[in-house]
Amino acid sequence: MLNPSVSEETDGFLAANENNINGKMKLGLKLTIRGKQVKPKVAILHTNDLHSHFENFPQIIQLMHDRTQELEQDGYTVFRVDDGDAIDRFEPLTDATSGQANIELLNQIHYHAATIGNNEALTTSHQELSQLYQQANFPIVLDNVLDQTTGRAPDWTQPYADYQLKDHTRVRFMGLTFPYPTFRFMGWQAEPVVPSIQRCLHDWQGQYDVLVLLSHLGINQDRHVADQFPEIDVLVGGHTHHLLPHGELRNHTLLTAAEKWGHYVGEIKLEISDHHVVHQTARVLPIPALQPDSPATQTVRKWRRQGRELLAKQKVAELPAPVPTSFTDDNPLIQLGLKAVQESMGVDAAVLNTGLFLHALPAGIVNMEQIQSILPHNIHVMKTTFSGYDLWRLMKEMQKNRNFLIPFPQKGMGFRGSQFGLLVAAGVHFNEHHQLMWHDHLVNPDQEYTIGLLDHYQFIPFFPTIDIVGKNHIYFELTLKTVLANYLARHYPIQGGTHGS
């Protein structure tokens, strides 16, 4: 594993001085001024939406180290920050370690501040997220998420990270993540953006000179924030995977963003005079691709092999025959998935799409590495109740979009495949007279019906009936891959019962 040693003592800083303020960690760094007064120069190197793309991590670690040294030699005080969604469970090592492996790698960068994204909040359990940063050597700043149990900020966060420049200019980093209502299903309470900023600015009056917001909110929200809050000097953006090659100056705030997956590292330069930003620039530094058979390539292969080996130790089931799949046709694997969804929620009908299933399952012992390989998605099962009329409308939407969606290059919303594929339903269908049938009976427009779906279908725009009139219950503790694994374990048990070992 590459392990570049980033200096803990950067130019413009002395050793870190940690003080406890209201139960939170405040970092204060000072430098004795030698000689004449020099206007301080600040550089911020930033990443966002890395999403466990380990193929870029060695280059990012090395670039952060090298660029920090270069900037320090040029008289800059350097900060390194991350804007969230650093983890993604499509990666076997992330999935197998619940993100702990990612933190070990991020520690090599020695960030000065980081915040969380929706992937950290919604794809790890409450307990997993509470433990995720225990070994982190960087602070998590977060100002709009509360623990539902205590009604207070999570104890693994702090409201800000403070640093002091050589002229005693006070630099403060704060953090916000996109306030999805679904946070509540994971035991967190996401607070609205604008009131959160207003509260912080009110409470922090006179405590800082330069304010930097780590914003995992998306470009539209970032622009809205900049328009409303000129007190924010710099906004490090993410979430919507946008790229601002030279930043965007809006009102008095510099917006920045470095796209996704570690394709770029962002670099911001600030000139400070009389404790205020007087000039700012931004650019992005492209990350070179891994070279075949380079030490870095071997390192990434090692990480991925470790993840696969950890998951492979978790034996799930023993299949008597292979279970094939097909992208364009109804097939045995999606039928197995439909049965698993129905049984997991106790429903009589379900719908899935073939693009979810990336590979077939072989005969013999099946382990979680194979399950994770065919279903690498951050997608949860969902039970939805409709009136018969609304169920008919949903199935009409699916029928209308069916052929269009087969080759559709679906991205995001938890989906980690390539194309959407064919919609396949179990327990509900149109007969030859175009009438909607619930098994062998005509659907009654006034009767209620409950069907198994995926939360993914609620978030994408093709089936509006789900979001408009569906009574939706998302099972955040159940991803599609765990539902399939549990079904296989029940119906195709291994001799000796080693599931989950």
Side-chain angles (χ1 to χ4, degrees), residues 173-189:
F173 294 89
M174 63 182 295
L176 298 170
T177 197
F178 194 91
Y180 282 105
T182 47
F183 274 42
R184 68 183 185 274
F185 295 113
M186 308 305 284
W188 309 110
Q189 180 178 326

Side-chain angles (χ1 to χ4, degrees), residues 11 41 43-45 66-78 267-269 283:
D11 185 36
K41 298 187 297 183
I44 302 172
L45 300 174
D66 294 344
R67 190 61 187 143
T68 294
Q69 288 190 334
E70 293 168 357
L71 288 163
E72 289 175 349
Q73 290 170 4
D74 201 25
Y76 283 88
T77 296
V78 182
E267 180 180 287
I268 303 162
K269 289 183 177 179
R283 66 170 182 159

Side-chain angles (χ1 to χ4, degrees), residues 58-90:
Q59 305 94 299
I60 292 171
I61 293 169
Q62 192 65 54
L63 185 147
M64 286 285 200
H65 171 256
D66 294 344
R67 190 61 187 143
T68 294
Q69 288 190 334
E70 293 168 357
L71 288 163
E72 289 175 349
Q73 290 170 4
D74 201 25
Y76 283 88
T77 296
V78 182
F79 299 102
R80 295 171 295 275
V81 300
D82 181 75
D83 193 54
D85 271 7
I87 73 169
D88 195 310
R89 298 189 84 131
F90 91 94

Side-chain angles (χ1 to χ4, degrees), residues 4 82 101 119 216 219 297 378 422 476 499:
D82 181 75
N119 265 266
H216 198 83
I219 182 61
T297 299
N378 304 318
L422 178 72
F476 275 90
H499 176 48

Side-chain angles (χ1 to χ4, degrees), residues 369-440:
E369 191 278 328
Q370 292 165 304
I371 300 293
Q372 201 272 348
S373 176
I374 68 168
L375 291 169
H377 320 289
N378 304 318
I379 287 178
H380 304 91
V381 295
M382 180 174 73
K383 182 164 64 175
T384 301
T385 299
F386 299 102
S387 69
Y389 171 76
D390 291 327
L391 177 64
W392 171 85
R393 188 169 66 176
L394 170 65
M395 298 309 295
K396 279 293 185 180
E397 290 168 354
M398 291 186 167
Q399 185 183 61
K400 178 180 179 180
N401 289 303
R402 177 186 172 104
N403 292 333
F404 168 79
L405 286 173
I406 292 174
F408 184 76
Q410 179 65 49
K411 294 182 181 180
M413 307 295 183
F415 186 78
R416 297 294 181 262
S418 58
Q419 294 169 292
F420 189 86
L422 178 72
L423 283 161
V424 180
V428 58
H429 67 279
F430 286 101
N431 64 17
E432 64 274 16
H433 303 295
H434 308 290
Q435 297 168 307
L436 187 63
M437 306 295 293
W438 185 263
H439 294 273
D440 297 326

Side-chain angles (χ1 to χ4, degrees), residues 152-385:
R152 298 191 297 269
D155 58 13
W156 44 270
T157 71
Q158 58 189 65
Y160 48 79
D162 277 351
Y163 298 88
Q164 195 170 85
L165 304 182
K166 56 191 175 182
D167 69 340
H168 304 294
T169 295
R170 301 163 299 174
V171 180
R172 174 165 289 185
F173 294 89
M174 63 182 295
L176 298 170
T177 197
F178 194 91
Y180 282 105
T182 47
F183 274 42
R184 68 183 185 274
F185 295 113
M186 308 305 284
W188 309 110
Q189 180 178 326
E191 299 287 279
V193 171
V194 170
S196 296
I197 298 176
Q198 290 172 333
R199 170 181 50 79
C200 290
L201 296 180
H202 176 269
D203 293 346
W204 298 347
Q205 289 183 61
Q207 297 180 17
Y208 63 88
D209 301 304
V210 176
L211 185 59
V212 180
L213 169 60
L214 306 185
S215 166
H216 198 83
L217 301 174
I219 182 61
N220 292 331
Q221 280 270 29
D222 287 352
R223 288 170 175 157
H224 181 63
V225 167
D227 288 341
Q228 286 199 264
F229 300 103
E231 299 94 330
I232 298 171
D233 295 282
V234 177
L235 190 153
V236 177
H239 182 52
T240 46
H241 299 179
H242 54 290
L243 178 66
L244 298 176
H246 302 290
E248 177 180 311
L249 189 60
R250 192 173 181 97
N251 204 356
H252 297 283
T253 304
L254 178 65
L255 307 185
T256 67
E259 205 219 43
K260 63 177 181 179
W261 299 358
H263 292 155
Y264 302 90
V265 166
E267 180 180 287
I268 303 162
K269 289 183 177 179
L270 307 175
E271 292 184 16
I272 309 293
S273 179
D274 194 24
H275 309 303
H276 297 290
V277 176
V278 294
H279 184 66
Q280 65 266 69
T281 61
R283 66 170 182 159
V284 293
L285 307 172
I287 297 299
L290 284 174
Q291 297 302 309
D293 299 320
S294 68
T297 299
Q298 297 301 322
T299 296
V300 173
R301 289 174 181 168
K302 177 184 176 182
W303 296 338
R304 289 185 167 148
R305 184 172 63 252
Q306 288 174 340
R308 290 193 295 269
E309 288 173 353
L310 287 170
L311 290 174
K313 292 178 181 179
Q314 302 176 39
K315 310 300 182 186
V316 174
E318 188 169 3
L319 297 178
V323 186
T325 189
S326 168
F327 182 73
T328 56
D329 301 301
D330 193 351
N331 62 78
L333 185 52
I334 197 171
Q335 288 297 324
L336 201 64
L338 287 165
K339 292 176 183 177
V341 169
Q342 290 173 268
E343 187 174 287
S344 70
M345 293 182 289
V347 295
D348 296 323
V351 178
L352 294 174
N353 55 296
T354 58
L356 293 162
F357 299 89
L358 305 189
H359 310 288
L361 279 175
I365 302 295
V366 174
N367 59 53
M368 278 308 297
E369 191 278 328
Q370 292 165 304
I371 300 293
Q372 201 272 348
S373 176
I374 68 168
L375 291 169
H377 320 289
N378 304 318
I379 287 178
H380 304 91
V381 295
M382 180 174 73
K383 182 164 64 175
T384 301
T385 299

Side-chain angles (χ1 to χ4, degrees), residues 115-131:
T115 196
I116 70 165
N118 48 288
N119 265 266
E120 282 86 5
L122 296 176
T123 66
T124 57
S125 69
H126 189 97
Q127 181 178 4
E128 286 172 334
L129 183 54
S130 297
Q131 297 173 348

